[in-house]
Amino acid sequence: ITRDPIEEQGGVNLYCFVNNNPVSYWDKDGKNLYVLITEGESWGHLAIIARKQHGCYYLSFGRDGLTLLFGSNFDSFISNINISREDSPYKYVLEYCASDKALTTMIRELYKEFKSKEYFCDTKSLCIDLAKIAVENYTTADYFYISNLNPRNIYEQNKNNAIRNFIIETK
C-alpha cells in the first residue's frame, strides 16, 4: 500500500487517488515497473518496462546484449515491442510499485551493469537476473521468486506479489 506519490500536493487525503481503498485499487497512471514474460514451454524471455512521468523505458537482455528503448505511450509501446517480437511476443505482465526517482536510478544502474555483459549459452538467465534485480532493489516488492526457468511458472509464482498482473491477448 502506497500513499499518493504527489503527497500533500493533491490534498490532505493521501489515498483519494485510489478512492480511499488502496487494497482494491491502484493508480493506473502510476509510475511503475512492469516485468514482461514471453509464453514459452520450457524457456522464455523476460524484460522490464519502467513507466516514468515522461515516457517508458524498455530494458531487455538477449542474444544482442542489452537493449534500451524509449516510448511515450505505454499501451502502444508494448504493442510495438510485441510486433517486433512476432515469433515470441510477451504474454504475461507483472506490475510493481516504484517511484519515479527509483526508476531513474534503476535505469542508470542496470544499464551500467548489463551493457558490458555478453550473451553466452550458459548465461541465458541474464534476462531473469535483470528482472529480479529490478523488482527486488527498486520497487516496494520484497522478492521476485524463481524456482525454475519456465515463463508460466515465473508468472504464477510472482503474480500475488505484484500489485497487478495481466495477460496480453495476442492475435
Side-chain angles (χ1 to χ4, degrees), residues 58-122:
Y58 167 84
L59 286 94
S60 171
F61 192 90
R63 288 184 180 88
D64 298 327
L66 183 69
T67 300
L68 175 63
L69 302 173
F70 176 80
S72 57
N73 179 282
F74 180 74
D75 293 327
S76 63
F77 193 46
I78 289 180
S79 178
N80 289 336
I81 290 168
N82 265 349
I83 288 169
S84 71
R85 294 183 55 84
E86 63 184 56
D87 292 338
S88 182
Y90 295 109
K91 180 166 184 169
Y92 307 107
V93 181
L94 300 166
E95 180 180 359
Y96 297 91
C97 281
S99 70
D100 205 61
K101 183 178 180 180
L103 292 173
T104 299
T105 302
M106 179 201 73
I107 293 165
R108 184 178 55 248
E109 295 295 320
L110 290 179
Y111 182 77
K112 187 168 44 173
E113 180 177 344
F114 281 83
K115 75 177 181 177
S116 62
K117 294 188 184 292
E118 294 184 32
Y119 181 91
F120 298 105
C121 291
D122 60 342

Side-chain angles (χ1 to χ4, degrees), residues 2-4 7-9 11-18 20:
T2 306
R3 296 177 357 155
D4 193 337
E7 298 182 349
E8 284 79 8
Q9 294 173 23
V12 294
N13 183 346
L14 299 179
Y15 295 97
C16 184
F17 75 117
V18 289
N20 292 321

